[in-house]
């Protein structure tokens, strides 16, 4: 059994800090803003945007299978490759709905990064590449 100190050390390793963290959050803001601008120009209804914005968070259901399965499921829907593939399908296939879905998905990921919700590590739900989420840190 691991001690509390070992758990805290492993749960804080791999976290981006300083300027790189600021840049990653700024990138999130840029992606979210670009998503909103492109959606305003080419997307569907704003009701669809609002309804689907949190859909990628269903990836958290993977945590029912444990932290490793949960991290993989969450990360699969919180990286830019899947919405990029959907956008490509939408553009090549001429599907405005697929393009709208991709823009919403990009917006969700950008919003998460802006707010500090990063990709998950298999140690715990709270351990992300942008820091610990939902856990009071010592000194807070």
């Amino acid at each position: 059994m691991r001690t509390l100190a070992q758990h805290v050390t492993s749960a804080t390793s791999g976290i981006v800090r300083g300027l790189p963290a600021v840049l990653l959050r700024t990138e999130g803001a840029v992606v979210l803003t670009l998503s909103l601008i492109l959606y305003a120009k080419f997307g569907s209804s704003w009701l669809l945007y609002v309804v689907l914005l949190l859909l990628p968070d269903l990836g958290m259901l993977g945590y029912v299978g444990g932290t490793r399965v949960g991290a993989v499921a969450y990360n699969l829907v919180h990286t830019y490759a899947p919405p990029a593939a959907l956008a490509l399908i939408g553009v090549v296939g001429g599907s405005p709905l697929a393009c709208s879905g991709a823009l919403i998905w990009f917006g969700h990921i950008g919003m998460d990064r802006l707010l500090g919700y990063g990709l998950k590590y298999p140690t715990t739900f709270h351990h992300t590449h942008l820091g610990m989420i939902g856990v009071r840190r010592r000194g807070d």
Side-chain angles (χ1 to χ4, degrees):
M1 185 151 173
R2 293 174 21 173
T3 67
L4 179 60
Q6 290 168 326
H7 179 73
V8 169
T9 300
S10 68
T12 57
S13 63
I15 294 174
V16 178
R17 297 184 193 322
L19 182 59
V22 171
L23 292 174
L24 287 171
R25 285 183 172 215
T26 302
E27 281 181 348
V30 168
V31 170
L32 175 59
T33 302
L34 186 59
S35 158
L36 290 167
I37 291 169
L38 291 174
Y39 194 86
K41 181 138 179 92
F42 302 110
S44 293
S45 78
W46 286 103
L47 179 60
L48 181 68
Y49 196 100
V50 171
V51 168
L52 296 182
L53 185 61
L54 297 179
L55 186 65
D57 283 338
L58 290 177
M60 286 188 279
L61 292 174
Y63 281 93
V64 171
T67 56
R68 288 193 186 282
V69 173
V72 169
Y74 183 90
N75 290 343
L76 281 175
V77 294
H78 284 85
T79 60
Y80 294 116
L86 182 60
L88 183 62
I89 290 167
V91 169
V92 171
S95 171
L97 187 58
C99 290
S100 293
L103 288 170
I104 296 166
W105 201 345
F106 278 123
H108 174 89
I109 296 169
M111 177 183 67
D112 273 6
R113 296 294 193 285
L114 171 63
L115 296 174
Y117 295 101
L119 298 173
K120 307 288 187 190
Y121 286 99
T123 52
T124 173
F125 174 80
H126 308 287
H127 185 194
T128 80
H129 81 289
L130 294 176
M132 296 297 285
I133 57 168
V135 175
R136 273 191 79 106
R137 290 175 291 252
R138 206 172 162 164
D140 283 354

